[in-house]
Amino acid sequence: MWTASRFVVRRISTSARYYQNKLRLALIGQSLFGQEVYANLQKQGHKVVGVFTVPDKDGKADPLAVAAEKDGTPVFKFPRWRVKGKPILEVVETYKSVGAELNVLPFCSQFIPMNVIDYPIHGSIIYHPSILPLHRGASAINWTLINGDKKAGFSIFWADDGLDTGPILLQRECPVEPNDTVDTLYNRFLFPEGIKAMVEAVQLIADGKAPRIPQPEEGASYEGIQKKSNAKVNLAQPAEAIHNWIRGHDKVPGAWITINGQVVTLYGSSLLSGTVPTGQALEIEEASQPGLITNKGLVLYGLDAKAILVKNLQFEDGKMIPAAKYFSTGESSNLELTEEEKKMAEDIRGIWKGILSNIPKIEDTTDFFKSGAASMDVVRLVEEIKQKCGGVQLQNEDVYMATVFQDFIQMFVRKLRGEDTQEELIVDYATKDVNNMTVTMPYQCFINGKFEDAENGKMYDTINPTDGSVICKVSYASVADVDKAVAAAKEAFDSGPWGKMNPRDRGRLLYKLADLMEDHQEELATIEAIDSGAVYTLALKTHVGMSIQTFRYFAGWCDKIQGTTIPINQARPNHNLTFTKKEPLGVCAIVIPWNYPLMMLAWKSAACLAAGNTLVLKPAQVTPLTALKFAELTVKAGIPKGVINIVPGSGGLVGQRMADHPDIRKLGFTGSTPIGKQIMKSCAVSNLKKVSLELGGKSPLIIFNDCDMDKAVRMGMSSVFFNKGENCIAAGRLFVEESIHDEYITRVVEEIKKMKIGDPLDRSTDHGPQNHKAHLEKLLEYCEVGKKEGATLVYGGYQVDRPGFFMAPTVFTNVEDHMFIAKEESFGPVMVVSKFKDGDIDGVLKRANDTEFGLASGVFTRDINKAMYVSERLEAGTVFINTYNKTDVASPFGGFKQSGFGKDLGEEALHEYLRTKAVTVEY
């Protein structure tokens, strides 16, 4: 016997397959599990000749009976099969009349006589939620957790006289996670895989291939149903044993302790790792040290001084409260109900009466459970209210938290009014009327789901590069803010819903986030334009557009992260199974640059989140606003608090603390090579955290004389001037074959003269301002060095005479390999051109590869053989052939040599945020 009926489950269907051999089956049992087994056996072509289940309760049929009656399958509802140990002859004869060849017992709470068990030609098979012979008897799942087993599973065995000792037909196993409960084990494995296994077992019997493996007595255990009187927690144990005891009794019968002479039942236990939250001490009888009421719940300590966290408490009168509210006083007074709400309350009273049919009248003081309700009645109550009062989303937990009718109505009305929702996000916006809209911009640190000032109160100005004006003041995070953000991310990973979330649900939230970004794309693009200088049309298409695509792409990966099975040498006479699991790393830090503020955030954080990690992100100091707006949208998307934290500030302070922090397990960085080297060193010294680096570039673009000249000119310009040259893969040096060199330069200059330089919010603008003043000054200095070294300045090299940080598109020719501008990255709109002799393919390849950078490269030629030859020999992470800047969310992006290591985008990006665990099982 087991208590599966009290859980909320998903409908599972086994895949349809054709089998030649079919059987006539009798299904004996009940529950949603029985219903699913019935449906899938029917789907496979077996004939269910009779369903034997329990009588209706309060006029409501069992789910198995409902499904069978709908199909026209004969249904028999016997309250019992035997009296005083002897079979009821009428019942047995009725059963025999259906002519079953096999009895299938997916979940049976009744004792079935052996003359029924053995009657069919193939006998009977039954499902048991343990790996027999361990945990024979009732409540097997509970005992799996109570005993701290490292693996759980189920057995399908040939039914015996009720002692669970019959021969095994098949078994399945799964690992037990540290904070698994009966519910999570059942929903994750025992329910869906159990349905598939029951169908498989029946087919094995039909095909004459079903084994009968005798159960050994070695390792066998016999355990009955736990009673409340026996469920007291022994606090004189290690924390893990206490945790196992509590979760093994959750929710029936409930493990309990004594506080102030009163029995208090504990629900929702989890192992506590990391720093224990602060709170108020609570004396607990027989405890080695006082407990602690914190804002997370009740902390209990084991003899080993380790701790567990308990979510909910239930008192002797049946009332359940969040443990965090144990010391709370002055509970809010009862709500005054409207006439419509009063009508709903009476409808709910009627639902209670239908369930509690033994109670003459439902009073305000009626307690749901003390009046005889069971766990299955909780599901019925929730579902009936959902049908009657559409729009109110109740959970089973809500019933346990408000067991008295008047409390239940108060809870229901609060949900109806939306007063039970999480604390509303409070945002102090900086607003600006610009681009025919009013943009609202958060400007504070975003930590643990809230916007708040930096701890030291410091702020700094973020500047609009179009005119040099101040957009707003932004919080300047300190080391203390980083530590707080990391603690929030660690709590969210270790104990929050994100770490426990089904991957598909995680993907659903990321899809929702992408949708919200799309809904706000014009506002995001406007903020990007005024904060980074990006031309609005480019910001809309690329900065924001590709960010949305990136989140959608990685949302789709959430439930497709898989390990592998590996054949290894067997240790005879035993056999081994080795498989790998892909697991998230934990808390990750991300440091992004200022050239694509939102897109770089998306490239790294989408993969990080899809893999199941939590993150602390530092935007570039000069472009923090789209990251903070993104933080606001994550709350609207329902991303749990602490999963995403944004701390604006300086790289030397905030970024360095991230590299040094011992609780951060991975740091992803995009920026300069010197800073990347410093980060790598700090990450190694601190805790050897994983690192991925996308650093500087000096990407070569080789243009051969057999190219499509129009295309080479157009894309050659784009390779340099795209996003004002503030582009990590920008072509840092063009090599143009001698015979077309002069024509190429002439045509490039003609096209530059047509470019419109101006306000990035003007839709006709081609070229906006450089990101910030210091960068503009470096570009002007870069050009001066080029001229001094003897390169020919053909065009540009000056600041445009207008407000803001505008740099004229610039072209240098006659650049020799030893020159500064031939070796160093400008990261601006500076085209550096060198010519090479006609036909000297190997010579130009040697020159192109003569750099310590290896991020990207390109080649233009109509000769595909030449193109492939060159692409195979260019030392760069990306090679463009007859195109440039063509990146896609599905294509991995990253460099070689001092351009860094690790990949953004594509499936490979996920591996940057995952670890591989190898598991070997001997059997």
Side-chain angles (χ1 to χ4, degrees):
M1 294 170 59
W2 54 300
T3 52
S5 60
R6 67 175 183 265
F7 306 119
V8 177
V9 297
R10 302 181 301 273
R11 291 189 63 83
I12 302 292
S13 295
T14 56
S15 57
R17 290 176 288 175
Y18 175 77
Y19 294 116
Q20 183 177 1
N21 302 309
K22 306 298 176 188
L23 292 176
R24 292 167 57 84
L25 307 174
L27 251 71
I28 305 175
Q30 62 198 79
S31 82
L32 289 169
F33 184 77
Q35 180 190 64
E36 290 288 348
V37 171
Y38 164 82
N40 282 283
L41 287 170
Q42 291 275 82
K43 189 182 296 183
Q44 300 299 336
H46 297 286
K47 176 66 174 177
V48 179
V49 295
V51 165
F52 299 84
T53 187
V54 294
D56 296 356
K57 183 176 181 182
D58 298 327
K60 187 169 183 177
D62 181 82
L64 173 57
V66 172
E69 288 170 344
K70 185 178 179 181
D71 292 342
T73 301
V75 176
F76 306 91
K77 303 175 181 179
F78 299 138
R80 63 187 61 84
W81 289 70
R82 62 185 188 178
V83 175
K84 296 182 179 179
K86 293 184 178 182
I88 302 172
L89 293 181
E90 296 85 357
V91 172
V92 174
E93 289 305 313
T94 301
Y95 158 76
K96 290 181 178 179
S97 69
V98 302
E101 297 171 307
L102 173 70
N103 292 332
V104 178
L105 288 72
F107 165 48
C108 185
S109 62
Q110 298 171 312
F111 289 100
I112 311 301
M114 287 305 295
N115 58 343
V116 172
I117 293 291
D118 295 336
Y119 182 78
I121 185 173
H122 294 297
S124 303
I125 60 170
I126 188 167
Y127 174 100
H128 188 81
S130 80
I131 310 169
L132 292 171
L134 190 63
H135 306 311
R136 291 173 179 167
S139 302
I141 317 174
N142 306 72
W143 284 103
T144 295
L145 296 173
I146 292 169
N147 288 358
D149 295 351
K150 299 304 180 185
K151 61 183 179 181
F154 59 81
S155 305
I156 297 172
F157 69 100
W158 299 92
D160 57 358
D161 56 0
L163 299 177
D164 304 335
T165 57
I168 300 297
L169 196 159
L170 61 80
Q171 293 181 317
R172 297 285 186 269
E173 296 180 0
C174 72
V176 178
E177 301 297 334
N179 289 319
D180 261 333
T181 64
V182 174
D183 286 25
T184 61
L185 278 176
Y186 181 72
N187 285 311
R188 184 178 81 240
F189 186 79
L190 299 176
F191 183 87
E193 295 304 318
I195 294 164
K196 296 176 186 176
M198 288 298 282
V199 175
E200 180 183 346
V202 170
Q203 194 57 48
L204 287 171
I205 295 169
D207 295 338
K209 298 178 180 178
R212 289 176 178 265
I213 304 168
Q215 288 193 47
E217 283 304 307
E218 183 180 353
S221 61
Y222 299 84
E223 291 129 346
I225 299 174
Q226 271 291 77
K227 297 179 180 179
K228 187 74 173 182
S229 58
N230 296 330
K232 184 178 181 180
V233 181
N234 176 11
L235 295 170
Q237 301 181 88
E240 185 174 355
I242 297 172
H243 166 61
N244 289 338
W245 185 263
I246 296 170
R247 65 176 176 153
H249 288 81
D250 188 337
K251 301 201 173 48
V252 177
W256 54 275
I257 57 177
T258 305
I259 304 175
N260 295 326
Q262 184 179 14
V263 170
V264 178
T265 306
L266 312 177
Y267 296 111
S269 172
S270 59
L271 293 169
L272 189 61
S273 59
T275 306
V276 175
T278 57
Q280 186 173 349
L282 176 66
E283 292 296 331
I284 298 171
E285 293 183 20
E286 301 179 14
S288 59
Q289 65 183 94
L292 203 63
I293 296 295
T294 74
N295 62 350
K296 303 294 182 182
L298 169 62
V299 175
L300 294 175
Y301 294 92
L303 284 182
D304 54 359
K306 294 182 179 179
I308 66 169
L309 187 69
V310 176
K311 182 180 177 183
N312 296 318
L313 306 176
Q314 187 175 39
F315 299 99
E316 290 176 299
D317 62 2
K319 185 176 181 180
M320 184 182 286
I321 65 166
K325 294 185 177 181
Y326 181 84
F327 287 119
S328 297
T329 57
E331 293 288 333
S332 59
S333 59
N334 287 344
L335 298 172
E336 191 70 32
L337 272 57
T338 66
E339 290 303 315
E340 182 65 24
E341 289 166 348
K342 288 177 182 178
K343 183 178 182 303
M344 286 189 177
E346 289 309 306
D347 288 340
I348 294 172
R349 194 185 298 270
I351 295 172
W352 276 52
K353 182 67 179 72
I355 296 172
L356 304 175
S357 56
N358 57 313
I359 302 296
K361 184 180 180 182
I362 304 298
E363 307 283 357
D364 287 350
T365 55
T366 299
D367 186 283
F368 192 67
F369 293 105
K370 288 184 178 180
S371 299
S375 54
M376 187 63 196
D377 297 315
V378 174
V379 178
R380 177 179 167 182
L381 175 61
V382 168
E383 293 304 317
E384 287 197 34
I385 291 176
K386 284 181 181 178
Q387 284 186 331
K388 193 79 173 179
C389 311
V392 178
Q393 293 301 310
L394 288 182
Q395 305 295 329
N396 291 8
E397 193 73 20
D398 295 324
V399 182
Y400 291 106
M401 298 295 283
T403 62
V404 175
F405 183 77
Q406 61 183 357
D407 295 338
F408 185 88
I409 292 299
Q410 291 286 309
M411 175 274 297
F412 171 83
V413 172
R414 286 192 167 90
K415 279 187 173 290
L416 189 67
R417 296 179 181 180
E419 295 178 9
D420 71 312
T421 55
Q422 287 186 337
E423 184 180 341
E424 184 179 355
L425 180 68
I426 298 173
V427 188
D428 289 334
Y429 291 114
T431 60
K432 197 171 184 67
D433 293 323
V434 61
N435 200 23
N436 299 317
M437 68 179 76
T438 300
V439 295
T440 57
M441 298 168 287
Y443 58 85
Q444 298 166 294
C445 300
F446 181 73
I447 299 174
N448 204 25
K450 295 180 180 179
F451 286 103
E452 56 187 45
D453 291 334
E455 189 166 289
N456 56 18
K458 288 186 178 180
M459 304 187 80
Y460 70 96
D461 294 337
T462 186
I463 304 298
N464 184 342
T466 301
D467 56 11
S469 64
V470 174
I471 302 171
C472 64
K473 289 187 176 294
V474 177
S475 290
Y476 189 83
S478 65
V479 168
D481 295 307
V482 177
D483 290 347
K484 189 190 303 182
V486 172
K490 190 173 189 302
E491 174 72 16
F493 182 81
D494 291 340
S495 306
W498 189 253
K500 304 179 182 71
M501 191 175 292
N502 182 298
R504 198 162 295 166
D505 292 335
R506 189 163 65 241
R508 178 178 55 80
L509 291 180
L510 295 184
Y511 275 123
K512 187 174 181 181
L513 177 57
D515 290 343
L516 282 165
M517 292 171 70
E518 188 169 52
D519 292 343
H520 291 261
Q521 60 184 330
E522 289 85 3
E523 186 177 21
L524 287 167
T526 301
I527 296 171
E528 196 88 326
I530 64 174
D531 202 27
S532 77
V535 172
Y536 175 76
T537 51
L538 177 65
L540 198 60
K541 178 182 182 294
T542 301
H543 289 236
V544 179
M546 195 173 187
S547 299
I548 296 166
Q549 291 178 31
T550 303
F551 271 98
R552 287 197 174 127
Y553 175 81
F554 283 108
W557 267 111
C558 288
D559 62 351
K560 300 172 187 67
I561 299 170
Q562 301 175 352
T564 57
T565 55
I566 304 170
I568 64 171
N569 287 341
Q570 302 299 333
R572 296 179 180 176
N574 298 314
H575 293 82
N576 298 97
L577 169 66
T578 294
F579 61 91
T580 61
K581 295 174 63 181
K582 296 289 186 179
E583 299 179 340
L585 300 171
V587 181
C588 297
I590 292 173
V591 179
I592 56 174
W594 43 257
N595 57 329
Y596 295 102
L598 186 63
M599 194 174 78
M600 291 295 99
L601 176 153
W603 279 24
K604 293 191 187 311
S605 63
C608 173
L609 295 168
N613 301 286
T614 57
L615 67 90
V616 179
L617 183 142
K618 190 198 88 66
Q621 184 173 343
V622 291
T623 54
L625 296 180
T626 45
L628 294 171
K629 186 67 180 180
F630 167 82
E632 180 190 352
L633 298 181
T634 67
V635 177
K636 293 182 178 180
I639 305 292
K641 65 178 184 178
V643 173
I644 297 170
N645 303 273
I646 311 288
V647 279
S650 76
L653 193 69
V654 174
Q656 186 63 50
R657 178 54 183 160
M658 288 177 169
D660 293 337
H661 203 293
D663 287 335
I664 291 175
R665 295 299 170 190
K666 158 74 194 278
L667 193 149
F669 171 78
T670 295
S672 71
T673 298
I675 299 299
K677 289 179 179 180
Q678 178 60 43
I679 283 174
M680 191 172 176
K681 184 188 297 183
S682 298
C683 288
V685 170
S686 59
N687 62 342
L688 210 64
K689 59 175 62 70
K690 191 174 182 179
V691 181
S692 59
L693 303 172
E694 196 258 279
L695 308 176
K698 190 66 176 175
S699 301
L701 173 58
I702 303 172
I703 302 174
F704 289 98
N705 59 17
D706 59 354
C707 69
D708 178 334
M709 180 63 82
D710 290 340
K711 193 173 187 180
V713 169
R714 185 175 70 255
M715 291 198 164
M717 291 179 65
S718 174
S719 75
V720 176
F721 303 132
F722 187 82
N723 200 47
K724 310 123 34 178
E726 295 168 353
N727 188 20
C728 53
I729 57 172
R733 190 175 181 192
L734 276 66
F735 295 91
V736 182
E737 202 158 8
E738 195 170 44
S739 57
I740 62 167
H741 176 273
D742 292 349
E743 179 189 356
Y744 186 84
I745 297 300
T746 298
R747 291 186 59 174
V748 164
V749 172
E750 287 174 354
E751 293 301 317
I752 290 176
K753 290 176 180 178
K754 299 175 186 177
M755 292 172 64
K756 180 178 178 180
I757 302 172
D759 185 349
L761 294 175
D762 184 334
R763 304 314 193 255
S764 63
T765 294
D766 298 304
H767 188 78
Q770 303 310 133
N771 186 275
H772 51 281
K773 184 178 180 182
H775 182 53
L776 171 64
E777 291 171 348
K778 286 183 180 179
L779 287 173
L780 295 172
E781 184 181 345
Y782 184 90
C783 292
E784 288 301 313
V785 172
K787 288 190 291 184
K788 287 179 181 177
E789 286 192 322
T792 301
L793 177 62
V794 175
Y795 191 88
Y798 58 87
Q799 180 177 357
V800 179
D801 186 15
R802 58 168 294 157
F805 313 136
F806 290 84
M807 170 85 178
T810 300
V811 179
F812 278 100
T813 62
N814 297 319
V815 178
E816 298 179 12
D817 294 352
H818 64 83
M819 291 181 178
F820 176 81
I821 62 172
K823 293 184 174 298
E824 295 298 322
E825 181 181 25
S826 71
F827 212 64
V830 182
M831 181 180 283
V832 176
V833 185
S834 300
K835 66 177 69 172
F836 66 96
K837 292 181 179 180
D838 288 2
D840 188 12
I841 299 174
D842 290 329
V844 74
L845 274 169
K846 183 178 180 180
R847 295 172 69 190
N849 287 330
D850 185 21
T851 173
E852 273 301 302
F853 299 110
L855 189 56
S857 60
V859 54
F860 278 83
T861 175
R862 286 192 173 98
D863 185 341
I864 190 62
N865 292 324
K866 186 192 299 181
M868 295 307 295
Y869 179 87
V870 171
S871 69
E872 288 174 0
R873 287 159 179 77
L874 283 169
E875 297 172 358
T878 298
V879 180
F880 298 110
I881 298 177
N882 294 327
T883 187
Y884 210 89
N885 285 325
K886 179 57 181 173
T887 55
D888 187 87
V889 293
S891 177
F893 180 93
F896 301 160
K897 300 188 287 189
Q898 291 197 45
S899 288
F901 51 83
K903 297 293 183 183
D904 291 326
L905 304 180
E907 181 181 359
E908 288 196 38
L910 286 168
H911 302 310
E912 301 295 331
Y913 296 93
L914 292 165
R915 62 187 183 188
T916 302
K917 177 182 288 183
V919 180
T920 297
V921 182
E922 185 175 280
Y923 62 96

